[in-house]
Amino acid sequence: VLTLPQQAVLTVSQVAVHLRELLESNPFLSDLWIVGEVSNLRASSSGHSYFTLKDSVASLNCVLFRGQGGAAILDNGKLVRAHGRMSFYEPRGSTDFMVDRVLPEGEGELAQELERLKARLSQEGLFEESRKRPLPQFPEIVGVVTSPTGAAWQDIQNIVRRRYPLARLLLSPTQVQGLDAAPSIAAALERLDADGSSDVIIVARGGGSLEDLWPFNEEIVARAIFGSRIPVVSGVGHETDFTIADYVADRRAPTPSAAAELVVPDGAILRQTVAAWTERAQRGALRAVEAGRVEVANLSRRLESGLPDLGNLKRQVDDMADVLGNNFNNRLRMARLEVDNFESRLRTLDPAATLRRGFAVVQHGDTGTVVFLGWPGDRRRFAEDNRSRRNDTWHGGRRANTGE
């Protein structure tokens, strides 16, 4: 043990070394069994486990190096019995319990309370998958319930702005840690639900211990999510963190960043999809046009093969025209001949024509009685038979009155 002179001025390293030697040289602190609830469990890439053992009053930083027994037993919220020694880690100035063995002891108080609440809410139907709603495909407004100063809010803004800048974010600020966090989270949710303009709501905060995330295990938050008319996505903690809010929400995302990616589409993929659809539509249109062109050509050939021979039809029409013309001319000539014959017959029957050929009609001058009707050769007979009749004299086919 280092002997310090009175009123000596020491360096930090000297004091740190003295503290470590005091702890490690104490027989009581070198062989301890401690019962506590595991919290803040973290496994390093080298295989060492760092965690906290705590009860309702105090907590101890613990280290379990790779190869020590019981690493698989460690889990947040689990009550364990750990064996080890106390030490002081100079670079960080921390007092650590160096664990060399871990045994299961049962569940911690917080874990038991969480399981009781989960069982009751599940029995009431708050976790039913059938009541969970689908998320909108292209949200216009995304409501966010988180701390305005936390990294989760910054991550959500960056991702939404990069992936889908058409969406607008509507922040409902809240505490996400501490005694008043649960009522604040529930009130922030209710404000967005009452506003009604959001298409989907993200409830988010970054990672932390079981105690840090405990407000999202509170019943008031679970019922606020359940009562929301707008679909809710939880993005609380890290991949391995599960809260009651995750079970009640319509969708669970492992981190706030993943929640933002879940609620908005990827603009780059959308552009690729639109380009692919456009190209597909263009190819389809070209195929349709080409198919239509082929169909029109086929129909044209079918029409052409079904039409009559126009050349032959023209020749037939010409022949018919010639036949009709000849028939018409023949009919016209025959009609003219008939007219001429009829005219000749009419001339033959004309009395004036008969008189001009020498036919005579002799009437009595006083009475008008026809005394002779005949041709000129009959005049001598007429004279002999009528010598006694001096009053009528033949005169060139005209009646003459002698006055006797």
Side-chain angles (χ1 to χ4, degrees):
V1 177
L2 179 65
T3 302
L4 299 178
Q6 193 174 8
Q7 295 182 343
V9 178
L10 304 177
T11 64
V12 174
S13 297
Q14 288 175 318
V15 174
V17 170
H18 180 65
L19 289 174
R20 179 173 58 79
E21 290 178 350
L22 282 176
L23 292 174
E24 292 181 352
S25 62
N26 189 314
F28 175 74
L29 298 178
S30 297
D31 186 14
L32 293 175
W33 282 98
I34 300 177
V35 174
E37 184 177 331
V38 177
S39 179
N40 297 327
L41 176 62
R42 179 175 62 87
S44 69
S45 58
S46 58
H48 309 319
S49 298
Y50 301 90
F51 58 98
T52 300
L53 283 180
K54 66 181 184 65
D55 56 21
S56 59
V57 177
S59 63
L60 285 174
N61 294 330
C62 302
V63 178
L64 179 66
F65 289 124
R66 182 179 61 183
Q68 302 292 340
I73 298 173
L74 296 175
D75 194 9
N76 284 324
K78 192 167 186 179
L79 193 64
V80 298
R81 182 155 44 106
H83 179 268
R85 59 183 175 81
M86 296 302 301
S87 181
F88 186 82
Y89 186 50
E90 295 100 322
R92 291 186 180 176
S94 62
T95 301
D96 298 327
F97 182 43
M98 309 303 294
V99 180
D100 55 33
R101 188 179 181 187
V102 178
L103 298 175
E105 186 70 17
E107 293 183 340
E109 293 181 5
L110 285 178
Q112 291 177 4
E113 181 181 349
L114 178 61
E115 290 303 318
R116 286 193 295 270
L117 181 57
K118 282 173 60 178
R120 181 161 58 84
L121 295 180
S122 177
Q123 189 175 9
E124 293 182 22
L126 271 68
F127 302 161
E128 283 292 332
E129 290 294 329
S130 59
R131 57 155 290 274
K132 297 189 177 184
R133 297 154 294 189
L135 304 183
Q137 190 172 8
F138 303 106
E140 296 181 8
I141 299 178
V142 177
V144 180
V145 174
T146 192
S147 170
T149 60
W153 172 233
Q154 297 301 322
D155 292 342
I156 291 172
Q157 290 183 88
N158 293 336
I159 289 173
V160 171
R161 189 180 301 116
R162 172 174 53 84
R163 286 173 60 92
Y164 193 65
L166 295 178
R168 183 164 63 89
L169 295 176
L170 180 59
L171 175 65
S172 184
T174 180
Q175 300 178 37
V176 292
Q177 186 172 335
L179 295 177
D180 298 328
S184 178
I185 294 169
L189 261 168
E190 291 167 356
R191 285 195 301 270
L192 287 177
D193 191 51
D195 176 72
S197 62
S198 299
D199 299 304
V200 63
I201 297 174
I202 296 175
V203 178
R205 73 146 284 161
S209 65
L210 179 62
E211 293 79 6
D212 295 336
L213 303 180
W214 191 256
F216 296 90
N217 289 318
E218 294 282 359
E219 182 175 356
I220 188 174
V221 174
R223 296 199 179 277
I225 295 174
F226 181 79
S228 174
R229 296 169 299 173
I230 302 170
V232 177
V233 175
S234 66
V236 179
H238 296 304
E239 187 80 31
T240 57
D241 296 323
F242 279 86
T243 65
I244 287 180
D246 296 326
Y247 295 104
V248 183
D250 296 282
R251 293 288 296 274
R252 184 243 177 196
T255 63
S257 298
E261 293 177 350
L262 189 61
V263 299
V264 296
D266 190 340
I269 295 178
L270 284 179
R271 286 189 289 271
Q272 293 174 3
T273 303
V274 170
W277 286 350
T278 302
E279 183 179 357
R280 190 179 309 162
Q282 290 175 345
R283 290 199 301 267
L286 290 176
R287 286 195 298 269
V289 170
E290 183 61 26
R293 185 181 292 111
V294 172
E295 183 67 17
V296 169
N298 292 335
L299 289 174
S300 177
R301 285 193 295 270
R302 289 170 59 187
L303 287 173
E304 290 177 356
S305 62
L307 290 175
D309 190 344
L310 295 179
N312 288 335
L313 284 178
K314 289 178 180 179
R315 294 181 62 182
Q316 292 177 13
V317 169
D318 290 341
D319 293 342
M320 292 176 65
D322 292 341
V323 171
L324 290 174
N326 293 334
N327 291 339
F328 179 77
N329 291 332
N330 293 333
R331 293 288 300 274
L332 184 60
R333 283 195 299 271
M334 292 178 64
R336 285 176 178 173
L337 289 174
E338 290 178 0
V339 170
D340 291 342
N341 292 334
F342 186 71
E343 183 180 2
S344 177
R345 292 170 60 191
L346 287 176
R347 284 197 299 269
T348 302
L349 298 176
D350 185 7
T354 301
L355 293 175
R356 283 194 297 270
R357 290 196 302 272
F359 192 83
V361 177
V362 180
Q363 292 176 314
H364 193 278
D366 294 332
T367 62
T369 302
V370 175
V371 295
F372 176 76
L373 180 65
W375 294 98
D378 299 329
R379 284 183 297 177
R380 182 176 300 155
R381 182 177 52 85
F382 172 76
E384 292 175 353
D385 292 340
N386 296 287
R387 286 190 181 120
S388 60
R389 298 177 182 174
R390 307 288 296 178
N391 57 329
D392 288 326
T393 303
W394 176 264
H395 185 65
R398 290 175 296 177
R399 188 178 63 182
N401 193 342
T402 60
E404 294 181 0

